[in-house]
PDB file of all heavy atoms in Angstrom:
ATOM      1  N   ALA A 296      17.317   4.430  -5.316  1.00 94.00           N
ATOM      2  CA  ALA A 296      16.165   5.067  -5.960  1.00 94.00           C
ATOM      3  C   ALA A 296      15.791   6.373  -5.265  1.00 94.00           C
ATOM      4  O   ALA A 296      15.417   7.355  -5.913  1.00 94.00           O
ATOM      5  CB  ALA A 296      14.963   4.122  -5.943  1.00 94.00           C
ATOM      6  N   THR A 297      15.913   6.400  -3.928  1.00 95.00           N
ATOM      7  CA  THR A 297      15.624   7.636  -3.190  1.00 95.00           C
ATOM      8  C   THR A 297      16.644   8.710  -3.524  1.00 95.00           C
ATOM      9  O   THR A 297      16.284   9.885  -3.722  1.00 95.00           O
ATOM     10  CB  THR A 297      15.640   7.350  -1.665  1.00 95.00           C
ATOM     11  OG1 THR A 297      14.688   6.345  -1.362  1.00 95.00           O
ATOM     12  CG2 THR A 297      15.327   8.619  -0.882  1.00 95.00           C
ATOM     13  N   ARG A 298      17.910   8.319  -3.629  1.00 96.00           N
ATOM     14  CA  ARG A 298      18.941   9.289  -3.991  1.00 96.00           C
ATOM     15  C   ARG A 298      18.713   9.839  -5.400  1.00 96.00           C
ATOM     16  O   ARG A 298      18.860  11.050  -5.650  1.00 96.00           O
ATOM     17  CB  ARG A 298      20.316   8.611  -3.903  1.00 96.00           C
ATOM     18  CG  ARG A 298      21.496   9.551  -4.075  1.00 96.00           C
ATOM     19  CD  ARG A 298      22.801   8.822  -4.063  1.00 96.00           C
ATOM     20  NE  ARG A 298      23.047   8.190  -2.764  1.00 96.00           N
ATOM     21  CZ  ARG A 298      23.260   6.876  -2.601  1.00 96.00           C
ATOM     22  NH1 ARG A 298      23.246   6.064  -3.640  1.00 96.00           N
ATOM     23  NH2 ARG A 298      23.493   6.409  -1.401  1.00 96.00           N
ATOM     24  N   ASN A 299      18.321   8.972  -6.328  1.00 95.00           N
ATOM     25  CA  ASN A 299      18.082   9.429  -7.696  1.00 95.00           C
ATOM     26  C   ASN A 299      16.877  10.362  -7.763  1.00 95.00           C
ATOM     27  O   ASN A 299      16.851  11.304  -8.563  1.00 95.00           O
ATOM     28  CB  ASN A 299      17.849   8.229  -8.611  1.00 95.00           C
ATOM     29  CG  ASN A 299      19.100   7.401  -8.814  1.00 95.00           C
ATOM     30  OD1 ASN A 299      20.223   7.884  -8.621  1.00 95.00           O
ATOM     31  ND2 ASN A 299      18.930   6.138  -9.195  1.00 95.00           N
ATOM     32  N   ALA A 300      15.865  10.097  -6.931  1.00 94.00           N
ATOM     33  CA  ALA A 300      14.638  10.910  -6.969  1.00 94.00           C
ATOM     34  C   ALA A 300      14.813  12.266  -6.327  1.00 94.00           C
ATOM     35  O   ALA A 300      14.109  13.209  -6.653  1.00 94.00           O
ATOM     36  CB  ALA A 300      13.502  10.154  -6.287  1.00 94.00           C
ATOM     37  N   THR A 301      15.739  12.365  -5.365  1.00 95.00           N
ATOM     38  CA  THR A 301      15.862  13.596  -4.588  1.00 95.00           C
ATOM     39  C   THR A 301      17.176  14.353  -4.778  1.00 95.00           C
ATOM     40  O   THR A 301      17.267  15.529  -4.433  1.00 95.00           O
ATOM     41  CB  THR A 301      15.736  13.266  -3.091  1.00 95.00           C
ATOM     42  OG1 THR A 301      16.826  12.422  -2.701  1.00 95.00           O
ATOM     43  CG2 THR A 301      14.414  12.593  -2.807  1.00 95.00           C
ATOM     44  N   GLN A 302      18.207  13.659  -5.274  1.00 96.00           N
ATOM     45  CA  GLN A 302      19.554  14.241  -5.390  1.00 96.00           C
ATOM     46  C   GLN A 302      20.081  14.671  -4.010  1.00 96.00           C
ATOM     47  O   GLN A 302      20.799  15.660  -3.893  1.00 96.00           O
ATOM     48  CB  GLN A 302      19.552  15.430  -6.349  1.00 96.00           C
ATOM     49  CG  GLN A 302      19.071  15.077  -7.738  1.00 96.00           C
ATOM     50  CD  GLN A 302      19.879  13.966  -8.407  1.00 96.00           C
ATOM     51  OE1 GLN A 302      21.110  14.058  -8.497  1.00 96.00           O
ATOM     52  NE2 GLN A 302      19.194  12.913  -8.826  1.00 96.00           N
ATOM     53  N   VAL A 303      19.692  13.913  -2.991  1.00 96.00           N
ATOM     54  CA  VAL A 303      20.084  14.187  -1.603  1.00 96.00           C
ATOM     55  C   VAL A 303      20.843  12.966  -1.085  1.00 96.00           C
ATOM     56  O   VAL A 303      20.515  11.834  -1.447  1.00 96.00           O
ATOM     57  CB  VAL A 303      18.826  14.448  -0.749  1.00 96.00           C
ATOM     58  CG1 VAL A 303      19.138  14.422   0.742  1.00 96.00           C
ATOM     59  CG2 VAL A 303      18.186  15.783  -1.134  1.00 96.00           C
ATOM     60  N   PRO A 304      21.858  13.125  -0.221  1.00 97.00           N
ATOM     61  CA  PRO A 304      22.527  11.958   0.399  1.00 97.00           C
ATOM     62  C   PRO A 304      21.526  11.109   1.172  1.00 97.00           C
ATOM     63  O   PRO A 304      20.696  11.646   1.920  1.00 97.00           O
ATOM     64  CB  PRO A 304      23.549  12.587   1.337  1.00 97.00           C
ATOM     65  CG  PRO A 304      23.805  13.954   0.758  1.00 97.00           C
ATOM     66  CD  PRO A 304      22.515  14.392   0.160  1.00 97.00           C
ATOM     67  N   VAL A 305      21.582   9.782   0.993  1.00 97.00           N
ATOM     68  CA  VAL A 305      20.636   8.876   1.628  1.00 97.00           C
ATOM     69  C   VAL A 305      21.416   7.801   2.390  1.00 97.00           C
ATOM     70  O   VAL A 305      22.388   7.239   1.858  1.00 97.00           O
ATOM     71  CB  VAL A 305      19.710   8.191   0.586  1.00 97.00           C
ATOM     72  CG1 VAL A 305      18.671   7.304   1.285  1.00 97.00           C
ATOM     73  CG2 VAL A 305      19.002   9.264  -0.264  1.00 97.00           C
ATOM     74  N   TYR A 306      20.977   7.493   3.612  1.00 98.00           N
ATOM     75  CA  TYR A 306      21.691   6.563   4.487  1.00 98.00           C
ATOM     76  C   TYR A 306      20.722   5.509   5.013  1.00 98.00           C
ATOM     77  O   TYR A 306      19.531   5.770   5.211  1.00 98.00           O
ATOM     78  CB  TYR A 306      22.349   7.296   5.665  1.00 98.00           C
ATOM     79  CG  TYR A 306      23.299   8.383   5.264  1.00 98.00           C
ATOM     80  CD1 TYR A 306      22.873   9.717   5.216  1.00 98.00           C
ATOM     81  CD2 TYR A 306      24.621   8.104   4.947  1.00 98.00           C
ATOM     82  CE1 TYR A 306      23.747  10.733   4.850  1.00 98.00           C
ATOM     83  CE2 TYR A 306      25.506   9.106   4.585  1.00 98.00           C
ATOM     84  CZ  TYR A 306      25.066  10.418   4.530  1.00 98.00           C
ATOM     85  OH  TYR A 306      25.930  11.401   4.173  1.00 98.00           O
ATOM     86  N   PHE A 307      21.268   4.328   5.262  1.00 97.00           N
ATOM     87  CA  PHE A 307      20.495   3.208   5.818  1.00 97.00           C
ATOM     88  C   PHE A 307      20.419   3.348   7.329  1.00 97.00           C
ATOM     89  O   PHE A 307      21.421   3.466   8.008  1.00 97.00           O
ATOM     90  CB  PHE A 307      21.173   1.893   5.449  1.00 97.00           C
ATOM     91  CG  PHE A 307      20.476   0.653   5.918  1.00 97.00           C
ATOM     92  CD1 PHE A 307      19.105   0.518   5.839  1.00 97.00           C
ATOM     93  CD2 PHE A 307      21.203  -0.429   6.411  1.00 97.00           C
ATOM     94  CE1 PHE A 307      18.452  -0.647   6.252  1.00 97.00           C
ATOM     95  CE2 PHE A 307      20.591  -1.597   6.812  1.00 97.00           C
ATOM     96  CZ  PHE A 307      19.204  -1.699   6.736  1.00 97.00           C
ATOM     97  N   LEU A 308      19.185   3.347   7.887  1.00 97.00           N
ATOM     98  CA  LEU A 308      18.980   3.435   9.329  1.00 97.00           C
ATOM     99  C   LEU A 308      17.920   2.411   9.732  1.00 97.00           C
ATOM    100  O   LEU A 308      16.715   2.695   9.675  1.00 97.00           O
ATOM    101  CB  LEU A 308      18.560   4.843   9.742  1.00 97.00           C
ATOM    102  CG  LEU A 308      18.537   5.079  11.254  1.00 97.00           C
ATOM    103  CD1 LEU A 308      19.959   5.354  11.755  1.00 97.00           C
ATOM    104  CD2 LEU A 308      17.618   6.238  11.622  1.00 97.00           C
ATOM    105  N   PRO A 309      18.322   1.199  10.118  1.00 97.00           N
ATOM    106  CA  PRO A 309      17.333   0.186  10.521  1.00 97.00           C
ATOM    107  C   PRO A 309      16.586   0.602  11.787  1.00 97.00           C
ATOM    108  O   PRO A 309      17.072   1.446  12.566  1.00 97.00           O
ATOM    109  CB  PRO A 309      18.197  -1.059  10.780  1.00 97.00           C
ATOM    110  CG  PRO A 309      19.534  -0.775  10.209  1.00 97.00           C
ATOM    111  CD  PRO A 309      19.691   0.702  10.223  1.00 97.00           C
ATOM    112  N   PHE A 310      15.427   0.019  11.985  1.00 97.00           N
ATOM    113  CA  PHE A 310      14.689   0.252  13.224  1.00 97.00           C
ATOM    114  C   PHE A 310      15.455  -0.297  14.406  1.00 97.00           C
ATOM    115  O   PHE A 310      16.221  -1.270  14.279  1.00 97.00           O
ATOM    116  CB  PHE A 310      13.308  -0.402  13.162  1.00 97.00           C
ATOM    117  CG  PHE A 310      12.363   0.233  12.190  1.00 97.00           C
ATOM    118  CD1 PHE A 310      12.054  -0.384  10.990  1.00 97.00           C
ATOM    119  CD2 PHE A 310      11.793   1.471  12.481  1.00 97.00           C
ATOM    120  CE1 PHE A 310      11.179   0.219  10.092  1.00 97.00           C
ATOM    121  CE2 PHE A 310      10.924   2.081  11.580  1.00 97.00           C
ATOM    122  CZ  PHE A 310      10.621   1.440  10.390  1.00 97.00           C
ATOM    123  N   GLY A 311      15.265   0.301  15.564  1.00 97.00           N
ATOM    124  CA  GLY A 311      15.884  -0.170  16.799  1.00 97.00           C
ATOM    125  C   GLY A 311      14.839  -0.380  17.874  1.00 97.00           C
ATOM    126  O   GLY A 311      13.645  -0.495  17.588  1.00 97.00           O
ATOM    127  N   ALA A 312      15.300  -0.437  19.117  1.00 97.00           N
ATOM    128  CA  ALA A 312      14.393  -0.598  20.263  1.00 97.00           C
ATOM    129  C   ALA A 312      15.037   0.066  21.481  1.00 97.00           C
ATOM    130  O   ALA A 312      16.264   0.264  21.518  1.00 97.00           O
ATOM    131  CB  ALA A 312      14.118  -2.059  20.547  1.00 97.00           C
ATOM    132  N   ASP A 313      14.244   0.397  22.462  1.00 97.00           N
ATOM    133  CA  ASP A 313      14.736   1.009  23.699  1.00 97.00           C
ATOM    134  C   ASP A 313      15.115  -0.098  24.659  1.00 97.00           C
ATOM    135  O   ASP A 313      14.319  -0.540  25.496  1.00 97.00           O
ATOM    136  CB  ASP A 313      13.670   1.913  24.313  1.00 97.00           C
ATOM    137  CG  ASP A 313      14.200   2.709  25.498  1.00 97.00           C
ATOM    138  OD1 ASP A 313      15.301   2.427  25.987  1.00 97.00           O
ATOM    139  OD2 ASP A 313      13.480   3.618  25.962  1.00 97.00           O
ATOM    140  N   CYS A 314      16.356  -0.564  24.548  1.00 96.00           N
ATOM    141  CA  CYS A 314      16.810  -1.700  25.362  1.00 96.00           C
ATOM    142  C   CYS A 314      16.975  -1.337  26.831  1.00 96.00           C
ATOM    143  O   CYS A 314      16.774  -2.180  27.711  1.00 96.00           O
ATOM    144  CB  CYS A 314      18.131  -2.253  24.818  1.00 96.00           C
ATOM    145  SG  CYS A 314      17.984  -2.898  23.129  1.00 96.00           S
ATOM    146  N   LEU A 315      17.369  -0.116  27.122  1.00 95.00           N
ATOM    147  CA  LEU A 315      17.514   0.277  28.517  1.00 95.00           C
ATOM    148  C   LEU A 315      16.184   0.191  29.264  1.00 95.00           C
ATOM    149  O   LEU A 315      16.146  -0.099  30.450  1.00 95.00           O
ATOM    150  CB  LEU A 315      18.058   1.715  28.620  1.00 95.00           C
ATOM    151  CG  LEU A 315      19.544   1.903  28.347  1.00 95.00           C
ATOM    152  CD1 LEU A 315      19.934   3.378  28.552  1.00 95.00           C
ATOM    153  CD2 LEU A 315      20.405   1.000  29.229  1.00 95.00           C
ATOM    154  N   LYS A 316      15.102   0.407  28.544  1.00 94.00           N
ATOM    155  CA  LYS A 316      13.786   0.400  29.195  1.00 94.00           C
ATOM    156  C   LYS A 316      13.121  -0.961  29.166  1.00 94.00           C
ATOM    157  O   LYS A 316      12.449  -1.352  30.117  1.00 94.00           O
ATOM    158  CB  LYS A 316      12.886   1.430  28.496  1.00 94.00           C
ATOM    159  CG  LYS A 316      11.541   1.640  29.179  1.00 94.00           C
ATOM    160  CD  LYS A 316      10.785   2.802  28.549  1.00 94.00           C
ATOM    161  CE  LYS A 316       9.479   3.073  29.268  1.00 94.00           C
ATOM    162  NZ  LYS A 316       8.754   4.224  28.671  1.00 94.00           N
ATOM    163  N   TYR A 317      13.311  -1.716  28.086  1.00 94.00           N
ATOM    164  CA  TYR A 317      12.468  -2.891  27.884  1.00 94.00           C
ATOM    165  C   TYR A 317      13.201  -4.238  27.833  1.00 94.00           C
ATOM    166  O   TYR A 317      12.556  -5.277  27.850  1.00 94.00           O
ATOM    167  CB  TYR A 317      11.674  -2.749  26.571  1.00 94.00           C
ATOM    168  CG  TYR A 317      10.688  -1.623  26.579  1.00 94.00           C
ATOM    169  CD1 TYR A 317      10.779  -0.572  25.675  1.00 94.00           C
ATOM    170  CD2 TYR A 317       9.642  -1.591  27.496  1.00 94.00           C
ATOM    171  CE1 TYR A 317       9.855   0.459  25.663  1.00 94.00           C
ATOM    172  CE2 TYR A 317       8.710  -0.562  27.501  1.00 94.00           C
ATOM    173  CZ  TYR A 317       8.824   0.476  26.581  1.00 94.00           C
ATOM    174  OH  TYR A 317       7.927   1.492  26.576  1.00 94.00           O
ATOM    175  N   SER A 318      14.525  -4.242  27.725  1.00 92.00           N
ATOM    176  CA  SER A 318      15.220  -5.529  27.513  1.00 92.00           C
ATOM    177  C   SER A 318      15.205  -6.397  28.757  1.00 92.00           C
ATOM    178  O   SER A 318      15.524  -5.932  29.855  1.00 92.00           O
ATOM    179  CB  SER A 318      16.651  -5.283  27.074  1.00 92.00           C
ATOM    180  OG  SER A 318      16.715  -4.940  25.724  1.00 92.00           O
ATOM    181  N   LYS A 319      14.867  -7.666  28.546  1.00 84.00           N
ATOM    182  CA  LYS A 319      14.907  -8.662  29.619  1.00 84.00           C
ATOM    183  C   LYS A 319      15.221 -10.024  29.022  1.00 84.00           C
ATOM    184  O   LYS A 319      14.716 -10.380  27.970  1.00 84.00           O
ATOM    185  CB  LYS A 319      13.557  -8.746  30.346  1.00 84.00           C
ATOM    186  CG  LYS A 319      13.266  -7.587  31.269  1.00 84.00           C
ATOM    187  CD  LYS A 319      11.962  -7.834  32.024  1.00 84.00           C
ATOM    188  CE  LYS A 319      11.632  -6.671  32.977  1.00 84.00           C
ATOM    189  NZ  LYS A 319      10.357  -6.898  33.696  1.00 84.00           N
ATOM    190  N   ALA A 320      16.074 -10.775  29.730  1.00 78.00           N
ATOM    191  CA  ALA A 320      16.300 -12.187  29.382  1.00 78.00           C
ATOM    192  C   ALA A 320      16.011 -12.971  30.639  1.00 78.00           C
ATOM    193  O   ALA A 320      16.875 -13.133  31.498  1.00 78.00           O
ATOM    194  CB  ALA A 320      17.748 -12.392  28.903  1.00 78.00           C
TER     195      ALA A 320
END
């Protein structure tokens, strides 16, 4: 729908996190 509305290439980019700073197990 975004591609149809804008005629621009559209790509999927999920949210991430700063693992180097915050990751802990």
Side-chain angles (χ1 to χ4, degrees):
T297 302
R298 187 184 296 123
N299 291 339
T301 63
Q302 303 302 306
V303 167
V305 184
Y306 303 96
F307 182 42
L308 190 80
F310 291 106
D313 187 349
C314 297
L315 284 183
K316 186 172 184 179
Y317 295 119
S318 282
K319 286 184 180 179

